[in-house]
Amino acid sequence: MEIYRSWEEIPGNQKIVLAMGFFDGCHLGHQDVFQKTLALARKLHARPGVLTFWPHPMALLAPDIHVPLLQGRKEKEAFMEKAGMDFVLFLKPDQKFLQELPQAFMEKLASLPGLTGLIAGENFTFGRGRAGNSSLLQSWFSRRKVPVEIVRLLAEEGKTVSSTAIRELIQQGRMKEAALFLGRNYTMEGDVVHGFHRGSDVLGFPTANLSFTENRVLPKDGVYAARAVIDGRSYPAITNIGKNPTFGNSERTIETFIFHFDSSIYGSPFTLEWVERIRDEIRFPSPRALKEQIEKDIRKAEEILAAEQNEKRP
């Protein structure tokens, strides 16, 4: 999959169909947009691609308002490639771009050589003050004989599927509900960094400490059944997120004990898959009491992970 960072980089000798949006999390609704982009591209014998933005526009419009993200840029790229997109155009939304009228954005789109079709969710907005929307886009391009397909919002169990709703569920520790909207378990990618070594030295459970960025959506503090994906292989695990009150940490950490794994992965990337919350993070009277609880957590996690695996089998 090719990555472009300006309008001018898109080749002009091929027909293209563009999906448009920020697509944080690439949830079920976004996946519907990608599938319709592929279908229209096949129909029109064009290349399917994505027009998106990085960083999030709110980072410039309202820097004091913190918008945690469900995916890093590389994670988003990987998912879009897996979804069948041929290319992604990442536009950097500076102040000039964000203050442009909707007309200016549509004229730039129309100037793209080979533009054959557009796909956007019904809640897609653009231009100064978010004055432009998918209906305006469809009306404006209909006069230029470029089809614009508007994808309706999806609903699961009576709730609208959205990045905002998924962020709230994850922050509440409701991982199974978040997975229902995402179409998969929530994952985080990062490097394994050195921690306090209490897992191995004090408790007998060596942990992998995942690095994470400030702008990432984090689950509610507690203990979770999880999976660690290392070199393409998935291992059952439990993860604790929080300040580990038994030892009085001052910083929030994500520590994962990986079952049946004893290799060193410090400095290596791995993917953490959050499956289900087991309990709150609590303060124990002693490391021994904590160790006994961890043993119970492991047994509970094994039950959860085995049950989920059975559900996935045909």
Side-chain angles (χ1 to χ4, degrees), residues 58-171:
M58 286 299 291
L60 288 121
L61 288 172
D64 293 337
I65 299 177
H66 180 61
V67 181
L69 299 180
L70 296 165
Q71 286 179 315
R73 202 185 80 177
K74 292 297 182 183
E75 293 169 276
K76 184 183 293 191
E77 288 178 13
F79 195 97
M80 290 175 174
E81 182 173 23
K82 186 178 179 180
M85 300 296 104
D86 278 2
F87 65 92
V88 179
L89 167 60
F90 279 101
L91 294 178
K92 186 175 182 178
D94 56 23
Q95 289 292 343
K96 179 182 177 182
F97 175 78
L98 293 172
Q99 291 304 313
E100 287 181 342
L101 296 174
Q103 177 85 10
F105 178 74
M106 292 187 293
E107 287 176 352
K108 284 182 180 178
L109 274 175
S111 70
L112 289 175
L115 182 67
T116 308
L118 295 168
I119 309 288
E122 64 175 304
N123 59 347
F124 177 66
T125 59
F126 57 94
R128 183 193 302 172
R130 304 170 73 179
N133 55 37
S134 53
S135 295
L136 175 63
L137 200 70
Q138 190 174 56
S139 173
W140 197 86
F141 274 95
S142 67
R143 298 191 294 271
R144 288 154 181 80
K145 308 302 181 184
V146 175
V148 175
E149 186 171 345
I150 300 175
V151 181
R152 302 303 173 192
L153 297 177
L154 292 182
E156 289 287 340
E157 297 187 348
K159 298 179 181 179
T160 300
V161 175
S162 71
S163 299
T164 300
I166 295 168
R167 292 185 194 112
E168 292 174 353
L169 289 170
I170 291 171
Q171 290 168 336

Side-chain angles (χ1 to χ4, degrees), residues 32-279:
D32 194 22
V33 172
F34 298 149
Q35 287 302 311
K36 287 179 169 57
T37 302
L38 286 173
L40 184 59
R42 284 193 293 265
K43 179 181 177 181
L44 300 176
H45 305 289
R47 295 179 68 203
V50 179
L51 186 157
T52 189
F53 310 93
W54 196 269
H56 195 288
M58 286 299 291
L60 288 121
L61 288 172
D64 293 337
I65 299 177
H66 180 61
V67 181
L69 299 180
L70 296 165
Q71 286 179 315
R73 202 185 80 177
K74 292 297 182 183
E75 293 169 276
K76 184 183 293 191
E77 288 178 13
F79 195 97
M80 290 175 174
E81 182 173 23
K82 186 178 179 180
M85 300 296 104
D86 278 2
F87 65 92
V88 179
L89 167 60
F90 279 101
L91 294 178
K92 186 175 182 178
D94 56 23
Q95 289 292 343
K96 179 182 177 182
F97 175 78
L98 293 172
Q99 291 304 313
E100 287 181 342
L101 296 174
Q103 177 85 10
F105 178 74
M106 292 187 293
E107 287 176 352
K108 284 182 180 178
L109 274 175
S111 70
L112 289 175
L115 182 67
T116 308
L118 295 168
I119 309 288
E122 64 175 304
N123 59 347
F124 177 66
T125 59
F126 57 94
R128 183 193 302 172
R130 304 170 73 179
N133 55 37
S134 53
S135 295
L136 175 63
L137 200 70
Q138 190 174 56
S139 173
W140 197 86
F141 274 95
S142 67
R143 298 191 294 271
R144 288 154 181 80
K145 308 302 181 184
V146 175
V148 175
E149 186 171 345
I150 300 175
V151 181
R152 302 303 173 192
L153 297 177
L154 292 182
E156 289 287 340
E157 297 187 348
K159 298 179 181 179
T160 300
V161 175
S162 71
S163 299
T164 300
I166 295 168
R167 292 185 194 112
E168 292 174 353
L169 289 170
I170 291 171
Q171 290 168 336
Q172 295 166 9
R174 297 158 65 182
M175 309 310 293
K176 294 185 74 173
E177 293 172 73
L180 183 66
F181 284 14
L182 283 166
R184 64 194 186 282
N185 289 324
Y186 180 55
T187 58
M188 293 176 63
E189 294 182 4
D191 293 333
V192 177
V193 296
H194 286 280
F196 296 100
H197 299 284
R198 296 192 190 108
S200 56
D201 297 348
V202 179
L203 300 173
F205 298 103
T207 58
N209 294 271
L210 179 69
S211 64
F212 57 90
T213 58
E214 291 183 358
N215 67 337
R216 193 60 192 262
V217 176
L218 297 179
K220 181 180 180 180
D221 287 357
V223 177
Y224 292 78
R227 291 191 180 88
V229 181
I230 304 166
D231 293 330
R233 183 176 176 183
S234 178
Y235 297 87
I238 57 169
T239 292
N240 182 89
I241 178 170
K243 295 184 178 180
N244 205 328
T246 302
F247 295 102
N249 293 354
S250 60
E251 297 181 1
R252 202 177 191 195
T253 59
I254 299 175
E255 299 178 76
T256 298
F257 172 62
I258 307 170
F259 308 165
H260 319 302
F261 187 85
D262 59 4
S263 299
S264 175
I265 54 174
Y266 281 117
S268 301
F270 89 116
T271 299
L272 179 61
E273 180 181 340
W274 304 78
V275 179
E276 186 176 336
R277 195 167 190 268
I278 296 175
R279 63 172 174 85

